[in-house]
Amino acid sequence: MDTVVAAGGGKLRGFVTGDGLAEFRGIPFARAARFAPPEPAEPWTGVRDATRHGPVSPQPPVRPDGVMGVPRDVPGQDEDCLNLTVLTPAADDRRRPVLVWLHGGAYVTGAGSFGFYGGHRLAREGDVVFVAPNYRLGALGYLRLPGVSPGNLGLLDQLAALRWVRDNAAAFGGDPDDVTVFGQSAGAHSIACLMALPQARGLFRRAILQSAPLGLRLAGARTTARTARLFTTSLGRDPRTAPVADILRAQAETIVKAGGPGGLYSVPPFSPAADAPPLPGVAQWLSQRARFAPEVDVMIGTTAAEMNSFLTGKPGIAQLERFPVTARGMDAVKAGITRWMFGGPSRAFADQLAARGGRVYSYVFDWGAPESPYGAGHCVDLPFLLGDESAWREAPMLAGADWTSLDEMGRELRAAWLSFARTGTPSPEWPHHAPKLAPHRLP
């Protein structure tokens, strides 16, 4: 059954899902030329079809050996990718909490419209409006090259999406003054960037940062200059007119060349850059990201073994994991990098927010599937919140798990996220984060 709502630049025709939600796909929230900041989307006449997902940012294929598996029904790719999905229990006069999802993917892959990230369970169980935007990634979103690209365009796209939510949430039965932004991995890192910006003030009331790699700080001038040099050398032509396929090829070669031993790097080549609008310098970002702490409730946490998802079973490491002594050594290495990249910086950020008068909650997610070698690795919390059985059926990180049991366990996690979005408190029993307080553990 179709459903029509007036929002954005005109009327939109969505559809009613099997579980009674109204879903609108491919809604343009902004438009942008290559390497240009986003501008308001152009209005349209008549009723715009919003029953199909819009294009996603150009990106390399999802690795088939990834812990999440390969997304099903992947939308097409195009530079004109600034669109979003809205799920609502009803487009009425109610003022429901709004949850805006910022996906991860190391700033080079992913899309809010992937089936992994469907917000149907949250919208249905919590009577909330769920919004998932797509934004520019990789070189098209984060190349900083003077005279060509200013950098941070993907972050500006996220700001544009949040402004669209502020201006249009009410048309979908949402409350523009009760917005929670939540994200995982690069999406959570993006939220930490947004929290430093005066431009983001008032666009969200609460924030949930899942597995934010805050050990990766902003790219400085030397890093962005080196990335630009590697990229332009590999591309061999004007980035402003090069075919998208050539952009992606040069992007992939740059990522490989920018990595150190084992392909590791301290700052991803294509990621938010310091001293490039709208972000301040590195030192200023570290201090200013808590500047509005009393105004934004925050929940922040990690999985217990983040680095398992990046290192377990990888070439060179798999051989070491075959023998007890070296396996224990690798476990220690993975635990150490997890603390350095995720756990320690997340706790430090929580401490910083609490010290500035913010209301902060922290957690560690420590569940692992019975037959998965990844345990409580990076991304394992996502199926408890987003997507459905069909989206996660082939996920290696869920090996041996029964979906019905997982979904039932997920109700507790979803209830905590929904309670936080509605009240600012995950549950009455969940203690506030305070400096030096041990994180609360989820079962």
Side-chain angles (χ1 to χ4, degrees):
M1 183 174 67
D2 289 348
T3 180
V4 177
V5 67
K11 292 183 178 180
L12 296 159
R13 183 178 70 253
F15 64 96
V16 178
T17 67
D19 49 6
L21 300 172
E23 182 166 352
F24 301 85
R25 298 173 170 179
I27 305 172
F29 64 83
R31 58 191 175 97
R34 181 180 290 186
F35 299 134
E39 299 178 351
E42 292 184 352
W44 58 89
T45 57
V47 180
R48 184 185 183 102
D49 178 36
T51 61
R52 294 177 294 178
H53 287 302
V56 305
S57 180
Q59 57 190 273
V62 176
R63 295 197 338 264
D65 62 341
V67 299
M68 295 169 61
V70 178
R72 299 173 180 270
D73 303 321
V74 177
Q77 300 181 12
D78 195 277
E79 290 187 71
D80 183 16
C81 64
L82 303 186
N83 61 83
L84 51 76
T85 299
V86 176
L87 282 166
T88 179
D92 53 23
D93 294 332
R94 293 273 302 278
R95 294 175 67 86
R96 298 172 177 84
V98 181
L99 278 74
V100 180
W101 168 250
L102 301 184
H103 68 81
Y107 289 108
V108 294
T109 64
S113 47
F114 280 1
F116 292 142
Y117 303 133
H120 298 75
R121 289 180 291 172
L122 288 170
R124 184 180 65 252
E125 295 171 14
D127 192 34
V128 298
V129 177
F130 175 86
V131 182
N134 294 328
Y135 30 84
R136 285 173 285 183
L137 303 168
L140 295 169
Y142 290 97
L143 174 68
R144 188 182 185 194
L145 178 60
V148 174
S149 177
N152 294 337
L153 293 170
L155 198 64
L156 291 174
D157 295 344
Q158 293 170 358
L159 275 171
L162 288 168
R163 293 190 186 103
W164 188 94
V165 170
R166 176 195 61 195
D167 297 339
N168 294 279
F172 297 92
D175 185 349
D177 296 320
D178 193 6
V179 174
T180 296
V181 60
F182 73 126
Q184 186 262 354
S185 195
H189 190 274
S190 296
I191 294 172
C193 292
L194 293 169
M195 290 179 67
L197 305 180
Q199 299 96 314
R201 191 176 189 183
L203 293 180
F204 52 92
R205 184 175 178 181
R206 300 184 178 96
I208 304 174
L209 288 76
Q210 300 172 218
S211 299
L214 296 179
L216 300 177
R217 299 186 179 180
L218 303 183
R222 292 178 60 184
T223 298
T224 57
R226 179 171 183 260
T227 296
R229 184 173 63 254
L230 291 171
F231 177 78
T232 53
T233 299
S234 179
L235 185 63
R237 58 189 301 174
D238 190 339
R240 292 167 291 194
T241 57
V244 169
D246 289 354
I247 294 284
L248 292 178
R249 174 190 54 78
Q251 172 183 302
E253 292 177 0
T254 299
I255 291 172
V256 171
K257 292 176 181 177
L264 299 176
Y265 38 68
S266 58
V267 178
F270 301 103
S271 62
D275 289 317
L279 286 171
V282 174
Q284 290 79 15
W285 171 62
L286 289 172
S287 62
Q288 293 179 16
R289 63 187 184 175
R291 66 193 302 185
F292 305 122
E295 302 173 22
V296 180
D297 299 332
V298 172
M299 188 159 66
I300 183 169
T302 67
T303 65
E306 299 275 4
M307 291 306 298
N308 283 7
S309 296
F310 299 99
L311 298 178
T312 296
K314 295 300 182 286
I317 294 176
Q319 287 78 3
L320 295 175
E321 293 174 328
R322 292 170 54 191
F323 306 102
V325 173
T326 51
R328 287 194 295 272
M330 283 309 307
D331 287 343
V333 168
K334 287 182 279 190
I337 300 177
T338 292
R339 288 191 297 271
W340 167 71
M341 182 70 70
F342 296 94
S346 292
R347 286 191 294 273
F349 187 28
D351 287 348
Q352 182 185 19
L353 291 164
R356 295 280 190 93
R359 185 163 63 165
V360 188
Y361 297 88
S362 59
Y363 69 89
V364 173
F365 186 92
D366 59 6
W367 179 90
E371 298 174 17
S372 167
Y374 305 108
H378 196 67
C379 299
V380 75
D381 53 331
L382 294 177
F384 289 80
L385 298 166
L386 301 167
D388 58 18
E389 184 177 7
S390 64
W392 294 109
R393 184 176 294 125
E394 305 299 329
M397 66 182 183
L398 297 182
D402 173 71
W403 177 260
T404 301
S405 299
L406 187 151
D407 188 42
E408 283 301 314
M409 288 189 291
R411 284 186 178 275
E412 179 182 353
L413 194 70
R414 295 191 295 276
W417 264 233
L418 290 164
S419 175
F420 179 79
R422 190 173 294 279
T423 68
T425 304
S427 71
E429 300 80 21
W430 199 324
H432 286 135
H433 180 98
K436 308 306 180 186
L437 178 68
H440 180 89
R441 283 188 173 271
L442 289 175

